[in-house]
Amino acid sequence: MQDEPTTTELIKAVADFLRSEITPVIKGHNAFKLRVGINALDLVTRQLALAEASDAAEAARLKQLLGADGTLMELNRTLSEKIASGAVDLTTPGLPEHLWQTTLDKLAVDQPNYASYKRESGT
């Protein structure tokens, strides 16, 4: 295993190369496909940087909210079932805050340039 460069650094370097060197010389539909590829590389970079911590924080909030243990998927399934059955709703202490923070964390990875996200997160 190598110490340098990291996976994130490698992906970012490829995306930067494509953006600065290749994008200016590609036209038409291939330029569109190239932008899609660059966006996918940028998304993977953000996932590597942010997803682990945000998933851990989401799981911790769910464990406290539900008073249960389990994987993130299991906890989300339990929350969904409780919302569907009416056992919890937006008057449940902690639920609105959890939903809001989870949404912001997911937008930080998926759509960090989304205007509403930028406004709400202060970035």
Side-chain angles (χ1 to χ4, degrees):
M1 175 177 262
Q2 300 296 319
D3 295 326
E4 300 271 337
T6 66
T7 304
T8 300
E9 291 169 335
L10 287 170
I11 295 169
K12 185 177 179 331
V14 170
D16 290 346
F17 168 75
L18 293 171
R19 194 177 351 266
S20 64
E21 301 293 326
I22 306 300
T23 299
V25 298
I26 302 291
K27 302 273 186 256
H29 189 65
N30 285 333
F32 169 76
K33 292 190 290 188
L34 178 61
R35 286 191 307 275
V36 169
I38 292 168
N39 287 340
L41 292 171
D42 290 341
L43 175 63
V44 169
T45 300
R46 291 188 304 272
Q47 285 176 333
L48 290 170
L50 303 173
E52 185 176 336
S54 66
D55 285 354
E58 180 182 0
R61 287 191 308 270
L62 284 166
K63 287 175 185 179
Q64 182 173 357
L65 184 66
L66 298 169
D69 203 6
T71 66
L72 182 57
M73 185 178 288
E74 291 166 344
L75 293 165
N76 271 311
R77 185 177 301 116
T78 299
L79 178 61
S80 297
E81 290 167 355
K82 287 182 177 282
I83 291 171
S85 73
V88 299
D89 60 24
L90 290 177
T91 63
T92 302
L95 181 60
E97 296 82 7
H98 166 72
L99 295 173
W100 186 249
Q101 188 59 54
T102 301
T103 300
L104 288 176
D105 290 347
K106 291 186 184 305
L107 284 171
V109 172
D110 190 51
Q111 294 291 327
N113 293 319
Y114 183 57
S116 294
Y117 167 76
K118 288 177 128 182
R119 182 183 63 244
E120 295 300 323
S121 67
T123 58

